Amino acid sequence: MKHIRNFCIIAHIDHGKSTLADRLLEYTNTITQRESQAQLLDNMDLERERGITIKSHAIQMNYIQDGQEYVLNLIDTPGHVDFSYEVSRSIAACEGALLIVDASQGIQAQTISNLYLALEHDLEIIPILNKMDLPGAMPEEVKDQIVDLIGCKREEIIPASGKTGLGVADILAAIVARIPAPVGDPEAPLQALIFDSVYNSFRGIIAYYKVVNGEIHKGDKVKFINTDREYLADEVGVLKLTMLPKPVVKTGDVGYIISGIKEAREVKVGDTITNVARPSLDIIQGFEEVKPMVFAGIYPVDTDEFEELREAMHKLQLNDASIVFEPESSAALGFGFRCGFLGMLHMEIIQERLEREFDMTVITTVPNVSYMAMTTKGEQIIVNNPSDLPDPSKMEYVEEPFIKANIITKSEFVGPVMSLCIQKRGIIINQSYLTADRVELVFEIPMGEIVFDFYDKLKTISKGYASFDYHQIGYRKSDLVRLDILLNGEHVDALSSLIHRANSYDFGKRICEKLRELIPRQQFDIAIQASIGAKVIARENVKALRKDVTAKCYGGDISRKRKLLEKQKKGKKRMRQVGNVEIPQTAFMAVLKLD
């Protein structure tokens, strides 16, 4: 056991984690020249296209130092704020972390938040200065920032480059020297923490775990404590580039188990595996439940595909434990699911994965957050969907979730960033200069305001330099109203939204204008209205397509023309009564693109 090291790589998005992981794998000869490719661990198509890590990936390396062989278990983690849940799971399975900072960009918001996650679990931190080969690198300034942040000595920071391979040997030596070996009792009853699971269409569900105490043998009868299910360990082993079966996985090691599990609900990430013959009664602590931030409805375009969508969602949930969903129905869209996501990027990725991996065509409704409504009878209702909001006459007040946002940016962009946050009803709490030209701004801001386009706008006004990180701080009272959209006098519940009264008029007007452009013209006039309760606050009309029925009358009496026009008018009237308006998918997402 004393020759095992478990560590993860944490950093802000795009600071070069996956590229550095490639170099570590090459240096330890874990992969051959033939297998190597850039960002080897990012094996999903979406990850390779977007150049981001979405899932954590575990891989084992063998490293020889001074004639002694060491086993290194590396977990590469995502850097985007939406996937911090993946990071928290990886950290729970490690004793140390490589903190990677880009030498040309310095410390950014996600670096800090991932670092705090690691410190909470008492991990040994090894600071690494990456991208030293870039002409824009500022090693001395960034070293000062790292020393200020974690209070290490300057000489402990390892300069490296994922592209050229500089410093890889020093990193491996530091991992062996500084990261503690896992502690655990090989003689104790088996305890293993599940930190991830994947679905394989041939072998069922494969769970990844770290053995904390005891050991797991092939053919053992094992029990998952939280779900209280028992299985036979058909195959156990360690994770190389592919899965490598072993007769036994020992204390401190990271491995996988295949036990023919078919149901997604039977594997809970954070669960503890134990042996049926010698059970451990304790559950491994230190694992947190996921808190979804953004809610949206996902509906199949073809209503017959509801059951297939349910299956697809369950399989996705296996691979991405941070998505929560429950069935709901909408008058406009039929049956679908109310899903909770960690953020907008997460929502986009899930939608894309549904389309690619499961061939589902889905409609996503306008995203929102969950609110608390207090009724006059003193009941508290959680409102995930604007249509759940009680009648204003029965409602005492509404509370909305607030977050604390940390924004790090260059000093020249402080003005625009501040005005953006204030426009989004934010309150500035603190402003501190990290260096002469880098500022950290701390805001308290309603979660509902940052859901749509906040992050995009922030990147635009700061020329891509601002980094953003947030966590929830609870609920506060707000003057919120439900804004309904009516098409020809009929409610479209999928377009309703909860919004602050001060912004409602402007928002209602803009959304009506946007919908007028997006809804195709019919044979009859379509009235688009925005209303709060019974009061209509904005209206736009989609003009009817008019067929020229008088074209065949040339000359002759005017009464002939009039007769034809009257007949057309009656037809239009009847059509308006029975005709319904087709709403394209773009109209549901119109709210996101108002600007």
Side-chain angles (χ1 to χ4, degrees):
M1 238 175 71
K2 61 178 190 289
H3 298 131
I4 297 177
R5 300 285 183 272
N6 298 323
F7 66 99
C8 58
I9 301 185
I10 54 177
H12 189 78
I13 189 167
D14 242 6
H15 280 205
K17 297 176 291 299
S18 301
T19 311
L20 199 65
D22 291 350
R23 296 293 88 75
L24 294 172
L25 295 175
E26 281 170 17
Y27 196 88
T28 53
N29 298 325
T30 306
I31 51 171
T32 59
Q33 201 65 44
R34 195 169 62 112
E35 292 167 325
S36 74
Q37 53 169 331
Q39 285 89 32
L40 182 82
L41 294 178
D42 292 349
N43 49 14
M44 209 187 298
D45 295 346
L46 265 173
E47 293 181 316
R48 306 198 71 81
E49 276 170 33
R50 289 169 175 249
I52 57 176
T53 304
I54 295 168
K55 291 280 302 162
S56 299
H57 302 278
I59 192 163
Q60 190 178 85
M61 307 182 280
N62 295 65
Y63 171 63
I64 297 169
Q65 187 179 346
D66 305 332
Q68 175 62 56
E69 188 173 321
Y70 291 90
V71 173
L72 310 181
N73 290 310
L74 151 74
I75 302 178
D76 177 29
T77 64
H80 197 281
V81 61
D82 279 11
F83 303 116
S84 54
Y85 177 70
E86 287 280 335
V87 182
S88 73
R89 291 184 351 204
S90 311
I91 283 174
C94 294
E95 283 82 34
L98 305 183
L99 177 75
I100 295 184
V101 181
D102 185 331
S104 60
Q105 295 186 20
I107 283 171
Q108 291 185 293
Q110 200 54 34
T111 318
I112 297 175
S113 78
N114 285 346
L115 172 73
Y116 287 154
L117 271 179
L119 291 174
E120 276 169 28
H121 285 78
D122 291 334
L123 299 198
E124 178 63 39
I125 308 284
I126 300 178
I128 294 170
L129 200 56
N130 196 19
K131 304 197 185 181
M132 288 292 284
D133 57 315
L134 288 186
M138 318 172 288
E140 293 312 311
E141 292 170 36
V142 180
K143 272 185 186 175
D144 290 340
Q145 292 174 20
I146 297 174
V147 172
D148 286 349
L149 185 66
I150 38 181
C152 60
K153 298 189 175 70
R154 280 181 84 91
E155 52 274 16
E156 285 175 10
I157 302 170
I158 303 171
S161 162
K163 195 179 279 179
T164 61
L166 165 79
V168 173
D170 301 342
I171 293 172
L172 287 165
I175 290 167
V176 170
R178 294 195 218 166
I179 293 178
V183 286
D185 181 359
E187 303 303 317
L190 169 69
Q191 265 191 325
L193 170 77
I194 300 180
F195 66 88
D196 204 356
S197 59
V198 292
Y199 176 77
N200 181 317
S201 47
F202 302 109
R203 319 221 36 193
I205 287 145
I206 303 169
Y208 296 164
Y209 55 84
K210 176 195 174 188
V211 183
V212 179
N213 290 315
E215 44 193 45
I216 186 167
H217 294 257
K218 183 182 174 166
D220 275 356
K221 202 154 188 228
V222 294
K223 177 179 167 186
F224 289 26
I225 296 182
N226 276 350
T227 52
D228 209 23
R229 299 286 183 105
E230 296 181 2
Y231 307 101
L232 196 68
D234 297 336
E235 181 179 312
V236 295
V238 294
L239 300 152
K240 292 282 194 180
L241 192 55
T242 51
M243 291 184 281
L244 186 70
K246 288 263 179 103
V248 57
V249 179
K250 298 187 173 169
T251 316
D253 226 333
V254 172
Y256 70 91
I257 177 170
I258 297 177
S259 49
I261 306 171
K262 297 283 183 289
E263 279 290 311
R265 293 176 280 279
E266 293 174 27
V267 179
K268 289 255 194 298
V269 170
D271 201 347
T272 307
I273 307 176
T274 188
N275 201 316
V276 175
R278 269 183 80 201
S280 158
L281 301 173
D282 302 338
I283 296 178
I284 300 168
Q285 297 302 323
F287 177 78
E288 54 184 77
E289 275 295 308
V290 53
K291 295 192 285 285
M293 297 283 192
V294 173
F295 294 87
I298 287 189
Y299 293 85
V301 169
D302 185 355
T303 42
D304 304 343
E305 292 180 351
F306 176 68
E307 281 305 320
E308 289 158 48
L309 180 63
R310 185 197 295 270
E311 269 305 293
M313 296 294 284
H314 277 301
K315 285 176 186 170
L316 257 185
Q317 192 174 33
L318 259 187
N319 205 328
D320 181 351
S322 50
I323 174 177
V324 251
F325 61 91
E326 56 188 39
E328 72 161 1
S329 64
S330 142
L333 301 169
F335 289 102
F337 293 98
R338 184 98 202 132
C339 306
F341 306 98
L342 298 179
M344 288 299 283
L345 178 72
H346 187 210
M347 177 177 128
E348 208 177 298
I349 295 289
I350 292 289
Q351 192 183 344
E352 196 136 324
R353 284 182 69 182
L354 277 173
E355 287 177 6
R356 285 196 188 188
E357 293 170 31
F358 303 99
D359 279 337
M360 298 293 311
T361 40
V362 293
I363 290 178
T364 317
T365 63
V366 177
N368 58 14
V369 295
S370 60
Y371 300 89
M372 290 278 189
M374 185 63 100
T375 61
T376 44
K377 290 180 183 168
E379 295 170 21
Q380 215 176 30
I381 301 173
I382 296 175
V383 181
N384 281 339
N385 200 342
S387 52
D388 301 343
L389 194 72
D391 193 72
S393 60
K394 296 177 185 158
M395 200 168 58
E396 194 71 34
Y397 58 84
V398 186
E399 292 185 338
E400 64 177 333
F402 267 69
I403 55 163
K404 192 174 208 168
N406 293 36
I407 298 171
I408 298 180
T409 182
K410 291 199 160 184
S411 50
E412 61 197 89
F413 304 121
V414 171
V417 170
M418 272 193 184
S419 59
L420 173 69
C421 291
I422 289 162
Q423 180 190 335
K424 297 278 184 192
R425 298 192 287 133
I427 304 156
I428 185 156
I429 301 296
N430 191 10
Q431 173 182 0
S432 52
Y433 278 80
L434 303 172
T435 62
D437 67 338
R438 287 166 67 81
V439 189
E440 182 180 27
L441 301 167
V442 182
F443 284 92
E444 284 179 4
I445 200 167
M447 180 81 204
E449 293 283 344
I450 67 156
V451 170
F452 296 142
D453 51 0
F454 178 81
Y455 193 65
D456 296 346
K457 281 186 178 168
L458 181 68
K459 283 288 183 200
T460 310
I461 59 177
S462 64
K463 299 187 182 157
Y465 272 113
S467 60
F468 173 65
D469 179 56
Y470 60 84
H471 58 268
Q472 261 185 309
I473 51 172
Y475 286 80
R476 297 183 189 175
K477 280 190 200 179
S478 283
D479 182 15
L480 297 172
V481 290
R482 186 173 90 203
L483 185 77
D484 290 314
I485 300 295
L486 297 101
L487 291 180
N488 274 350
E490 281 188 26
H491 276 266
V492 182
D493 54 357
L495 287 170
S496 300
S497 53
L498 279 178
I499 190 160
H500 196 268
R501 197 183 293 274
N503 303 343
S504 59
Y505 285 86
D506 179 46
F507 184 77
K509 188 168 185 304
R510 282 179 19 220
I511 197 164
C512 285
E513 285 169 3
K514 192 75 183 170
L515 286 172
R516 189 187 71 197
E517 295 166 23
L518 295 171
I519 291 178
R521 289 170 71 182
Q522 309 284 344
Q523 296 280 340
F524 52 92
D525 281 357
I526 304 170
I528 304 169
Q529 294 166 307
S531 73
I532 296 172
K535 184 181 180 190
V536 174
I537 57 169
R539 171 174 174 144
E540 292 287 336
N541 282 346
V542 177
K543 279 289 179 212
L545 287 166
R546 181 168 165 270
K547 184 180 172 194
D548 190 1
V549 287
T550 59
K552 60 177 187 269
C553 303
Y554 46 94
D557 189 8
I558 183 70
S559 58
R560 279 182 65 200
K561 286 188 181 178
R562 196 162 290 140
K563 190 169 132 194
L564 287 169
L565 288 170
E566 285 300 320
K567 192 173 165 192
Q568 184 185 31
K569 202 170 173 184
K570 271 188 197 146
K572 293 263 188 222
K573 195 172 175 184
R574 195 168 64 245
M575 197 185 275
R576 179 177 299 127
Q577 285 162 1
V578 296
N580 61 351
V581 185
E582 282 284 307
I583 309 172
Q585 158 75 38
T586 44
F588 288 111
M589 302 312 276
V591 184
L592 303 185
K593 303 188 171 65
L594 278 184
D595 301 331

